[in-house]
Amino acid sequence: MGLLQGSVLMAIKLIKDHSSQPSESGIKFIYNKSFNTSKALMLYHPSDFPSFDFSGSYMPEDYTKDISRRMHYAGFHFFNELNVCRKNYWEKAYFDLRNFVFEGNRKLVFKAVNKWAPMRFMADDNSSNCNIVLIQAIAAFNPWKGIRFSTYAFTCLMRALSRINYKNTAEKMVQCESLDHLFGNNFDFPGSSSVPVSHTNSLAVLYTYFSKDCDILDEREKLILFELFGLGDKPLTSLEEVGKLLKLSKERIRQIQFIALEKLRKVLIPNNVV
């Protein structure tokens, strides 16, 4: 192997190593052998593409892949460029292209958040987290493979929401182990003239939220809380048993329990402090 050929192979190896790790500037790219061909600049030049406004619709799949290839090419040149001015040019091109793909596919975030029913009451926080996930998905997506970006990114978003839901549930389920935790010895109900209410009276007021006339909880949520906490002289029922009764998984029953208790907490405790 000649010295020149060995140097080229070593350079390509270093570039591939860079492609697996983001730089200090946040640039992460996927290397493709076409970057070293004579037609690369013509195929992937960052400024050589038509610009459209996709704010009212999804960016077409072929267009997304084309911009993604140019983005990775810009990242390749960023690591390979020695001239500072040119390096800054490729860095700016990389982020401009990445942001363009992000804006064109941002509706995937809203679609994922709206689809994740257990966490709709946290839609704002979820949207912020999902925006970050979408940016990461854009950087990690390989446009040279036969994978649709929308499918890949949406899967990443749904998995992220699942992890967020699991984390939030684990943190807050301690507060939801018993309905008693909704009340304190000195708890004042709204409109009670700041007179402390006894624990017995607190539970009596709580039962009003399970009446047919109260629509704070839906019928399924009322049934689940009644079964799990043995309300109305019912024996305590396990998550698994309630799941069999409603033909739902144990984890889904846990999620509905959490959502129902959050609804009650917002009504009973205005400042949401337990």
Side-chain angles (χ1 to χ4, degrees), residues 99-272:
N99 293 340
F100 191 66
V101 175
F102 173 81
E103 291 298 331
N105 290 276
R106 197 173 183 181
K107 281 194 171 184
L108 290 172
V109 170
F110 306 131
K111 179 181 177 181
V113 171
N114 289 331
K115 188 177 180 64
W116 194 257
M119 302 183 68
R120 283 180 183 171
F121 62 93
M122 297 174 61
D124 291 340
D125 291 339
N126 289 339
S127 296
S128 298
N129 291 325
C130 285
N131 285 336
I132 297 173
V133 174
L134 180 58
I135 290 174
Q136 294 171 340
I138 292 170
F141 175 67
N142 190 335
W144 288 275
K145 291 186 176 181
I147 303 172
R148 291 179 59 85
F149 174 77
S150 56
T151 302
Y152 171 78
F154 190 72
T155 301
C156 292
L157 291 169
M158 294 302 290
R159 287 178 176 175
L161 285 170
S162 179
R163 289 193 298 269
I164 294 169
N165 178 55
Y166 181 82
K167 179 181 178 181
N168 289 337
T169 301
E171 290 176 349
K172 291 194 174 185
M173 278 307 296
V174 176
Q175 303 173 3
C176 299
E177 289 178 353
S178 172
L179 289 174
D180 295 346
H181 291 176
L182 288 172
F183 305 98
N185 292 330
N186 297 319
F187 177 73
D188 298 335
F189 284 99
S192 63
S193 302
S194 300
V195 177
V197 182
S198 68
H199 181 75
T200 302
N201 289 337
S202 297
L203 289 179
V205 173
L206 178 63
Y207 274 109
T208 63
Y209 294 102
F210 290 87
S211 66
K212 293 183 179 180
D213 298 331
C214 184
D215 59 359
I216 292 176
L217 302 176
D218 61 37
E219 293 304 316
R220 185 172 63 174
E221 291 168 342
K222 293 175 184 177
L223 174 61
I224 287 175
L225 292 185
F226 255 85
E227 295 290 337
L228 290 177
F229 298 117
L231 300 176
D233 296 327
K234 284 180 173 288
L236 291 174
T237 310
S238 67
L239 290 168
E240 187 174 358
E241 290 172 333
V242 178
K244 289 180 180 179
L245 177 65
L246 297 177
K247 297 182 179 180
L248 296 172
S249 68
K250 182 170 68 174
E251 182 57 33
R252 182 64 182 130
I253 296 297
R254 190 192 304 274
Q255 291 171 353
I256 297 173
Q257 172 198 3
F258 169 63
I259 294 170
L261 290 173
E262 279 292 305
K263 289 180 179 179
L264 290 177
R265 185 176 287 107
K266 289 179 180 179
V267 174
L268 295 171
I269 307 177
N271 294 326
N272 201 26

Side-chain angles (χ1 to χ4, degrees), residues 36-54:
N36 291 316
T37 64
S38 58
K39 296 182 179 180
L41 194 61
M42 180 180 66
L43 290 173
Y44 305 127
H45 197 281
S47 62
D48 188 23
F49 69 92
S51 179
F52 298 103
D53 180 14
F54 296 107

Side-chain angles (χ1 to χ4, degrees), residues 42-87:
M42 180 180 66
L43 290 173
Y44 305 127
H45 197 281
S47 62
D48 188 23
F49 69 92
S51 179
F52 298 103
D53 180 14
F54 296 107
S55 58
S57 61
Y58 290 103
M59 180 181 286
E61 190 67 29
D62 292 342
Y63 197 79
T64 298
K65 287 187 176 182
D66 181 43
I67 304 302
S68 296
R69 294 186 187 104
R70 297 173 192 271
M71 180 194 74
H72 291 302
Y73 183 70
F76 164 80
H77 269 287
F78 171 79
F79 282 107
N80 204 32
E81 184 62 63
L82 298 178
N83 181 277
V84 175
C85 292
R86 293 294 297 170
K87 195 177 186 72

